[in-house]
Amino acid sequence: MVLGSTAGEGGRPHLFRQAEGGGGLVEVQGRPAQKPRLLARDHRPLPQALEGLGQGAVVTGQQAGLLGGPALTFYKAHTALGLAEKVGAASLFWVASQDHDVEEVRHLHLLLEEEVRTLSLPLPPLPAGRIPFAPYREAVREFLGFWSRDARVAYALEGETLSEFFARTLLAFLGERGLIPFDPMAPELAPLFQKALERELEDPSSSAQAINQEAERIRALGGKPPLKRKPGATNLFLETDQRRLLFYQDGAFTDGVRRYGKKELLEILRTDPSRLTPAAGLRPVFQDLVLPTAGFVVGPNEFRYVAELSGVYALYGIPMPALFLRLRAVVLEPPIRRIVERYRLDPWAFVDGGEDAFLRAVKEVLEGFRGLEAELLRLLEEVEALGQKAHALEPTLERPFRRFRARLKGEGERLLKKLLRARMGRDAVLRHHLERLKRHLLPRGLPQERVYPFAMYALRHPEALLKLQEAPISGRATLVLG
């Protein structure tokens, strides 16, 4: 929940403008700009961060996960902060408070005392900005234990909704770097989107058609478009007892439960503009209608679907922002650092390859194994030489010998892998190290950055936030803690 709007270029609402002479922020929808409610505690970099909006904004966003969500949330913010700092712009974080996919945000996974512990909240199927946090506050506080007494966590736990708990977590851990959360469901902000929503209600099919046209173009080029709209589907959700996608058929709208006329939806929009929200095919466009977006930081999957929205951007007459891939990172705590050093294992190789990467590293240190592998290599070289001799005698035998060598190589590698697994099954230390690597680097079979919150590392290691701040803003990084 940041601030409200003013009229921007071309009559479009914009979030901020400066007073004449550059003297700070001015009226917001006829009211003096005030310190946002969410930023009530003292964040000294905030005024400077807000002034950076005059140079534009680097925007990123994520669903409102517990304790800031998985670590990739902080990595997105880090990339946005780093890019914004380079050009003197502001860094805004779009809190996906309109998102109603609660399965994505209701779980909190922590690694405590070498055990993966999970808190799962029974959240209702509502947008995160509508879910009150009070019924779950004590469960979260109890799950966090002594961490809940940390000043940053205590501040975040004061949030009134699930999305505010998330936004407060971002502020508590990254506010000092100048990150500005933006909650589109905040009463001060929801009216910013009213004109664009009215436009969609007037012409509910054009944006969906633009997406489908681009999807067909991508498919014709051999690609797999991530977005496609079903016949009659719009790019709007309506919130009633839950959030449902609107369809437009025979001059009327339906959410699958009842029909609505355009006049009724316009009245809902006038009364409570937060009840009508954009689907994924509109969300980035709406973001850029009201924010001075110069760059948009996304993950690999987001990159694919945002790249499909060129037609929707053209429909609204605004240019697509420059897209930047977020940083990918892996955190190494002391016990894992010692294991990867022992086996000379690249942690990213383990993230990408899991157990197979560990086996490849283990074979380099197992006595006798490298000799067996060398013998297999010599055998393959002998088969290669035999094939050349056979080819000299009968050229038609070249292909059969090539297939024979390929089968021999494949069977040999499978036998070596079986040997390694058998050895590991008898070696308690190897099994222990593999399981520990999985818990830290591939919990639940997923990359660490998609499971554990970065706040967990920041609470356990005082230097974690500084290590992140010093990391590159793109590519891959290994953050060594402790």
Side-chain angles (χ1 to χ4, degrees), residues 59 101 122 176 189 238 245 259 304 407 413 434:
V59 183
D101 188 359
E176 296 302 322
L189 297 177
L238 174 66
L245 184 68
R259 290 167 65 87
R304 292 176 60 240
R407 287 197 299 271
E413 289 175 348
L434 175 60

Side-chain angles (χ1 to χ4, degrees), residues 23 28 48 59 72 94 183 219 256-257 265 295 298 311 324 344 367 389 391 395 397 400 426 445 461 477 479-480:
V28 176
Q48 182 180 355
V59 183
L72 63 86
W94 180 286
D183 184 345
R219 192 175 288 109
V257 176
L265 291 176
V298 295
F324 298 90
R344 296 190 289 274
E367 184 179 352
K389 291 179 180 178
H391 174 71
L397 293 177
R426 296 193 304 271
H461 303 276
L479 308 179
V480 180

Side-chain angles (χ1 to χ4, degrees), residues 331-341 436-437 440-441:
V331 175
L332 295 187
E333 295 184 279
I336 298 306
R337 176 181 56 78
R338 290 191 290 269
I339 291 174
V340 298
E341 288 176 351
R436 205 165 192 184
L437 285 167
H440 281 258
L441 304 183

Side-chain angles (χ1 to χ4, degrees), residues 338-446:
R338 290 191 290 269
I339 291 174
V340 298
E341 288 176 351
R342 174 172 178 169
Y343 298 106
R344 296 190 289 274
L345 171 64
D346 178 357
W348 279 105
F350 189 83
V351 171
D352 294 335
E355 184 174 325
D356 284 347
F358 181 67
L359 291 175
R360 287 194 296 271
V362 164
K363 72 181 182 182
E364 297 298 323
V365 298
L366 280 182
E367 184 179 352
F369 187 88
R370 295 186 67 180
L372 186 60
E373 190 175 41
E375 288 294 332
L376 174 63
L377 183 59
R378 279 194 291 273
L379 178 59
L380 292 173
E381 290 172 348
E382 290 174 6
V383 171
E384 179 71 24
L386 184 61
Q388 292 174 0
K389 291 179 180 178
H391 174 71
L393 292 172
E394 177 53 60
T396 60
L397 293 177
E398 179 183 7
R399 184 172 295 177
F401 263 95
R402 193 184 309 133
R403 289 197 297 265
F404 171 61
R405 185 183 186 281
R407 287 197 299 271
L408 183 63
K409 181 175 183 292
E411 285 299 320
E413 289 175 348
R414 279 190 286 274
L415 286 171
L416 290 174
K417 193 175 290 187
K418 285 183 178 180
L419 176 64
L420 280 173
R421 286 201 169 97
R423 171 67 184 271
M424 194 159 54
R426 296 193 304 271
D427 192 320
V429 173
L430 286 176
R431 290 199 310 274
H432 172 70
H433 286 169
L434 175 60
E435 292 307 312
R436 205 165 192 184
L437 285 167
K438 287 180 178 178
R439 279 195 299 274
H440 281 258
L441 304 183
L442 277 178
R444 304 172 64 84
L446 296 170

Side-chain angles (χ1 to χ4, degrees), residues 156-191:
L157 286 168
E158 294 173 5
E160 296 178 8
T161 63
L162 184 69
S163 62
E164 189 172 334
F165 173 46
F166 173 81
R168 281 173 169 262
T169 302
L170 293 181
L171 273 175
F173 288 90
L174 296 172
E176 296 302 322
R177 291 181 61 184
L179 188 68
I180 305 170
F182 181 101
D183 184 345
M185 288 194 74
E188 304 94 330
L189 297 177

Side-chain angles (χ1 to χ4, degrees), residues 269-292:
L269 180 60
R270 185 191 67 80
T271 305
D272 184 358
S274 68
R275 286 184 58 193
L276 274 166
T277 52
L282 269 185
R283 211 281 298 158
V285 180
F286 275 33
Q287 161 192 293
D288 298 336
L289 280 169
V290 302
L291 297 176

Side-chain angles (χ1 to χ4, degrees), residues 216-236:
E216 288 303 317
R217 188 185 73 83
I218 293 172
R219 192 175 288 109
L221 294 172
K224 294 182 179 180
L227 292 180
K228 183 170 173 58
R229 287 286 170 258
K230 295 179 180 178
T234 72
N235 276 306
L236 294 176

